[in-house]
């Protein structure tokens, strides 16, 4: 799978670890930055990554920050992106099954790295259920 990853400074360490994890699993990855733990603005990195998913350059995207909230908000401003804010395995699972999330946001300051990697794995493995969930996504798309 082709996966883009981006973060601000507060998500930099997990971004690096997630990229390594994805590559070990055989995924094709791209790093949209940031490229250091120095203070920066998350929209500068998250929004281009989300746009790359919306444009079909990548099948999925992972965005990270201190809490993940701003990153989820930024990603969801891009038409065609459905970013799920994930803090446990259930949010990752349901983000895919019910919302067909093509991007997830994770907060480095809120969960430990092993859980973050498990969230990524669950989200990548889950399939969208469609059915009643599809019509809800279609209704969301009407507004964007």
């Amino acid at each position: 799978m082709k996966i883009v990853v981006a973060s601000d400074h507060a998500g930099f360490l997990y971004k690096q670890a997630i990229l390594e994890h994805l590559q070990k699993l055989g995924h094709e990855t791209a790093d949209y930055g940031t490229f250091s733990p120095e203070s920066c603005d998350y929209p500068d990195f998250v929004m281009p990554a989300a746009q790359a998913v919306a444009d079909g350059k990548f099948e999925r995207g992972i965005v990270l920050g201190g809490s993940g909230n701003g990153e989820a908000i930024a990603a969801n401003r891009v038409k065609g992106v459905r970013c799920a804010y994930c803090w446990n395995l259930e949010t990752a699972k349901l983000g895919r099954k019910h919302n067909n999330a093509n991007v997830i946001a994770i907060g480095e300051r809120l969960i430990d790295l092993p859980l973050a990697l498990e969230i990524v794995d669950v989200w990548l493995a889950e399939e969208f259920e469609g059915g009643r969930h599809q019509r809800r996504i279609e209704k969301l798309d009407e507004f964007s």
Side-chain angles (χ1 to χ4, degrees):
M1 188 178 302
K2 291 179 70 172
I3 304 167
V4 63
V5 183
S7 74
D8 70 358
H9 58 283
F12 176 73
L13 294 177
Y14 280 20
K15 178 181 67 83
Q16 298 304 108
I18 288 170
L19 281 165
E20 184 178 312
H21 179 72
L22 293 170
Q23 290 161 0
K24 284 181 183 175
L25 294 174
H27 296 288
E28 184 179 333
T29 63
D31 183 348
Y32 271 43
T34 191
F35 301 103
S36 82
E38 295 197 23
S39 184
C40 64
D41 298 332
Y42 60 85
D44 295 341
F45 305 98
V46 169
M47 294 186 85
Q51 188 64 58
V53 172
D55 291 344
K57 294 177 184 172
F58 298 92
E59 296 164 77
R60 306 264 185 100
I62 301 169
V63 297
L64 301 111
S67 72
N69 279 317
E71 293 74 21
I73 292 167
N76 278 319
R77 296 241 174 144
V78 176
K79 184 177 181 175
V81 168
R82 292 172 306 281
C83 181
Y85 175 58
C86 297
W87 65 90
N88 61 27
L89 300 180
E90 190 70 6
T91 55
K93 179 179 174 181
L94 293 176
R96 276 297 297 155
K97 288 179 77 160
H98 292 185
N99 308 114
N100 200 14
N102 53 6
V103 176
I104 58 170
I106 297 172
E108 182 173 318
R109 293 178 179 158
L110 302 180
I111 62 173
D112 62 24
L113 181 57
L115 177 56
L117 296 176
E118 280 187 88
I119 285 169
V120 168
D121 290 344
V122 166
W123 173 68
L124 289 173
E126 249 351 287
E127 294 292 328
F128 177 52
E129 286 183 354
R132 70 186 190 277
H133 305 294
Q134 180 60 42
R135 79 170 177 268
R136 294 167 183 161
I137 289 171
E138 290 168 3
K139 287 180 179 186
L140 291 171
D141 288 346
E142 289 175 20
F143 286 97
S144 55

